[in-house]
Amino acid sequence: MPELPEVETVRRGLQPVMEGAKILVAEARRPDLRFPFQPDFVARLQGQVVTGLGRRAKYLMADLASGDVLLMHLGMSGSFRVIKRDNDSTPGEFHYPRGKDTTHDHVLFRMSSGADIVFNDPRRFGYMKVIARNGLDEEPLLRGLGPEPLGNAFDAAMLARSCAGKTTSLKAALLDQRVVAGLGNIYVCEALHRSQLSPRRIAATLSTKKGEPTDHANRLVGAIHTVLNDAIKAGGSSLRDHRQTSGELGYFQHAFKVYDREGETCKTLGCGGTVKRFTQNGRSTFWCPKCQK
């Protein structure tokens, strides 16, 4: 499942060709993806100007001049491809040749910017929905999401308050989208390693009895910021399906400290421990038992 850095990378790739441009043609080439398209899905998009392209957690959000918002989720295997109509492609340094089979090209937006934007999703776990902006607070897909980890409001004090009294593991708390939005398994494992905190640690230990942040909370928030910013700069992590809109691969997977490195030597300076893997809440957890406490 694409996490925050992958979705933000896609947003930045789409922004130059979507923002400020009109949707000349909108096509839904099948009746559904993960959920059925709304009956008026195409009608509410066609002819509308995209006034802004943002992101909330793992969702892309295109603001329309009509006051609607196009909510988009990549699902497990969804990707956007940008085709410039003047030169037919936008290859990059890490260009991954895409097949000519368009069977899984399910949605197309023809933009006044001169680009066609194609959403391809072989597994069809992605979805799109048009929502009135004044109804976003009541939207079930968004309601209850926690703070953005790269937003100004997210700091050690906020994380400590969210984890105060929680007896769940620290990893489980960070994966809870009500605590912090957009984090997934990869970047939680990486942030916990960089902050030298055990994924088994009780979440409540981020807060003092008075509800103030501990040193653990300060270290963890700093690690989350660093990991996410580094991953965004690298174009995300390409483990299976993730591609940037140009066809480039993300390459943050080459900077993993623990994720998918079971049996390898820990990269923490002076540690010398071995990366281990165990199953936690149904997900693979990678960590170094020697330096993560």
Side-chain angles (χ1 to χ4, degrees), residues 47-66:
Q48 290 299 319
V49 173
V50 178
T51 58
L53 185 64
R55 178 192 53 76
R56 179 70 170 106
K58 302 175 187 179
Y59 294 93
L60 292 167
M61 301 175 67
D63 280 290
L64 306 177
S66 63

Side-chain angles (χ1 to χ4, degrees), residues 127-153:
Y127 46 92
M128 296 186 188
K129 185 177 183 180
V130 182
I131 307 164
R133 172 155 282 285
N134 59 17
L136 284 179
D137 290 343
E138 302 304 318
E139 171 53 44
L141 296 172
L142 302 175
R143 192 171 55 229
L145 286 177
E148 288 287 322
L150 294 178
N152 293 332

Side-chain angles (χ1 to χ4, degrees), residues 193-241:
H193 179 262
R194 283 162 172 76
S195 57
Q196 297 188 328
L197 296 175
S198 168
R200 290 189 168 111
R201 172 180 283 275
I202 300 300
T205 60
L206 296 187
S207 174
T208 67
K209 291 182 179 179
K210 295 182 178 180
E212 297 173 348
T214 63
D215 177 61
H216 302 317
N218 285 299
R219 280 163 34 203
L220 181 55
V221 167
I224 289 171
H225 287 160
T226 299
V227 167
L228 293 180
N229 281 316
D230 287 351
I232 290 169
K233 290 177 183 177
S237 303
S238 292
L239 300 183
R240 180 178 295 176
D241 297 302

